[in-house]
Structure formats: structure tokens, C-alpha cells
Amino acid sequence: MISRIQLIKEEMLRDYIRKSLKQKDRLVEQQESQLRSVIQKMISEATEADPSANTGINVLEELLNNIATQFKDNYKMLTTEPSERISFIKHFIAFVNDTLNQEKMNDEAADLAAVNMADEIPVEDSVEEPVEDIENLGDLEEEITVSVGDEENSDDDKSEDKEAGMFPDIDKDKDEDESWINIEECNPDGRARAILAFKDIKKKILDAYSTIGGKNAELFKKYLIKNLDAYRKQAEKEIPNPDDDLANLDYTELKC
């Protein structure tokens, strides 16, 4: 038989174990609470971070807040095979480069035209224009004629335009897609999704880009591409069966 002393010892041991476990649980809870507080503080500081020292980066941050989710959602639609997603990122960034390069060229051409126009405008002395002879106005009145037939044709044209608006031109949309950059050997489904995504985001990018110039515009473009690639890597890790290369390599290292 077990002695009474042995029973007491066993009970004391159980009490000690229970107290130790409770203390351990409280310690774990305290550590978890402290960790949550630290994480919440870090998130708060990141959200309320001071603006960058560069205007272009500030504009970019505002843009990314508006397009990041839309960009990632389009990327995550392509889950059949990695080649679709490689094609998507390569085409999307090609569209960004092409659009911003064209915008820069247009701005430079407009600035040059404005300078040339200013140089060509002659400086004239202020001279009052003579008033035309009132008698000649009668001749002008005789030359004014109204063609009723033209008005009827105009109404017919408006009717045709109205009917055309009721039936969208599917072939026109197809031709427009064919005019976009097409990288050889890249998956066509990835390109099609990139075109669709870029059409939705293009105006936001151009609106942001149009507010800056010079060095600000250069940094905006450089880090827009870097951030899009970073978002693409995040999205890759969030889909079923992510690809290691796509999750870790830069888009320039990927091959169609």
C-alpha cells in the first residue's frame, strides 16, 4: 500500500506542476501581448510616416495606394501555369515604359513648340485697323446662302451616328488589342490580362505623372516599376502553388 506520506508528496508535486504551468501560460500571454503592441506600433508608424524628401516619391506613394490591390488581383487571376504570370508582368511593365516614354516625348515636343512659337511671333506697332466701308456690307449679305440640303444630310449623319452607337464595334476593340506591345514567345493569356489591367490603371498613372517633371518624374518612373515588381512577388506568394522563381527573382531575370 502507498503510505500517507507518499500521497502527500504526490499531491504537493501535482500542485507545483499546476502552478508552474499556470505561470508559464501567463508568461506566454504577456509575451504575446507585448509582441502585438510592438507590431501595432510599427504599423502605426509606417502608416503615419513623414513624406519623402522627393516630390516624385510622394506622388508615387499616393498612386500605389490606389492601384496596388487592383494590380495584384489581376495578377492572381492567372493560376494555370507560371508562364501566364511571367507574360503578365513583362507586358505590364513594357506598357508602363512605353506610355511614360511617350508622355515625356509629348511634353518635350510641346515645350519646344512653345519656345519656337514665341521666337517667331513678330512685335508690331499698335496701329488702329481702318473701319470698312459700310456700303460694302451689302455685297457680303448677297454672298450668304443657306443650303437646305446640307441640313438634311446633317440630320441623316446624326441618325447614322446614333445607330452606330447602339452596336459596339467588336472588331475595333480586337484591332486595338493587336496594336499593343507583343513580346515574342510570351504567353498570350498573360498578355491579354496585362492589357485589361493596364487599361484600368493607365489613367491613374498618367494623372499622377502629369503633375511632376524632371528628376521627380525620373524617380517616379524608376520606383513605380520596382514597386510593381515587388507587389507581383507578394501576389505570387498568395496564390495556390506559388512558383519559387516568380516569388523571388526580379522580372528582368524571368524568361518567357
Side-chain angles (χ1 to χ4, degrees):
M1 294 180 62
I2 300 175
S3 66
R4 184 172 298 177
I5 294 175
Q6 185 68 25
L7 288 173
I8 293 172
K9 286 182 179 180
E10 288 181 2
E11 186 63 30
M12 290 174 65
L13 180 60
R14 292 193 188 95
D15 289 340
Y16 176 77
I17 292 172
R18 281 196 293 269
K19 288 179 181 179
S20 297
L21 291 174
K22 286 181 180 180
Q23 289 177 353
K24 185 177 180 181
D25 290 341
R26 282 196 295 268
L27 181 61
V28 170
E29 289 177 2
Q30 290 174 357
Q31 290 174 340
E32 289 179 350
S33 178
Q34 290 174 353
L35 181 59
R36 282 194 295 270
S37 298
V38 171
I39 293 173
Q40 289 173 356
K41 184 178 179 181
M42 291 172 65
I43 294 173
S44 177
E45 289 176 352
T47 304
E48 300 172 2
D50 294 334
S52 166
N54 181 270
T55 301
I57 299 302
N58 293 331
V59 173
L60 174 60
E61 289 178 356
E62 182 180 46
L63 171 67
L64 291 173
N65 288 335
N66 292 328
I67 69 171
T69 300
Q70 192 174 2
F71 172 80
K72 290 174 66 177
D73 286 348
N74 275 284
Y75 180 87
K76 290 191 285 187
M77 290 286 291
L78 304 166
T79 54
T80 301
E81 53 189 33
S83 63
E84 296 174 337
R85 302 191 293 280
I86 293 174
S87 177
F88 174 91
I89 189 61
K90 283 190 168 291
H91 278 102
F92 194 96
I93 290 181
F95 300 155
V96 170
N97 273 317
D98 183 59
T99 299
L100 295 186
N101 286 342
Q102 288 185 24
E103 189 72 7
K104 183 180 178 181
M105 290 171 61
N106 291 340
D107 290 342
E108 291 174 349
D111 292 342
L112 182 60
V115 171
N116 292 338
M117 186 178 295
D119 292 340
E120 293 173 2
I121 296 176
V123 178
E124 298 180 355
D125 295 333
S126 178
V127 179
E128 292 186 2
E129 293 290 337
V131 179
E132 294 184 3
D133 190 348
I134 296 178
E135 294 179 357
N136 294 333
L137 295 178
D139 297 334
L140 293 175
E141 291 178 356
E142 294 178 359
E143 295 177 1
I144 298 174
T145 59
V146 177
S147 175
V148 177
D150 291 342
E151 289 184 357
E152 292 177 353
N153 291 336
S154 177
D155 291 339
D156 292 340
D157 292 340
K158 289 180 180 178
S159 177
E160 290 177 2
D161 291 341
K162 185 176 180 181
E163 291 178 1
M166 297 172 61
F167 303 98
D169 191 344
I170 299 174
D171 291 335
K172 181 180 177 182
D173 292 338
K174 189 174 182 180
D175 291 341
E176 286 180 356
D177 287 353
E178 290 177 354
S179 69
W180 290 68
I181 293 171
N182 188 5
I183 302 173
E184 292 185 4
E185 299 182 0
C186 276
N187 184 286
D189 291 343
R191 175 179 178 268
R193 175 57 60 173
I195 292 173
L196 183 65
F198 191 74
K199 283 181 177 178
D200 292 337
I201 295 173
K202 179 180 179 180
K203 186 178 183 303
K204 294 178 182 178
I205 294 175
L206 287 176
D207 285 347
Y209 190 72
S210 66
T211 64
I212 51 179
K215 184 179 180 181
N216 289 331
E218 292 175 7
L219 287 174
F220 174 94
K221 177 184 174 183
K222 176 182 178 180
Y223 286 100
L224 169 60
I225 292 171
K226 284 184 175 292
N227 277 274
L228 288 173
D229 200 29
Y231 284 129
R232 186 265 311 168
K233 292 177 184 176
Q234 290 178 2
E236 181 67 29
K237 296 172 183 176
E238 295 169 4
I239 63 175
N241 304 315
D243 182 84
D244 288 340
D245 286 345
L246 278 165
N248 296 289
L249 298 179
D250 292 342
Y251 82 97
T252 54
E253 301 175 89
L254 301 172
K255 296 185 183 300
C256 288

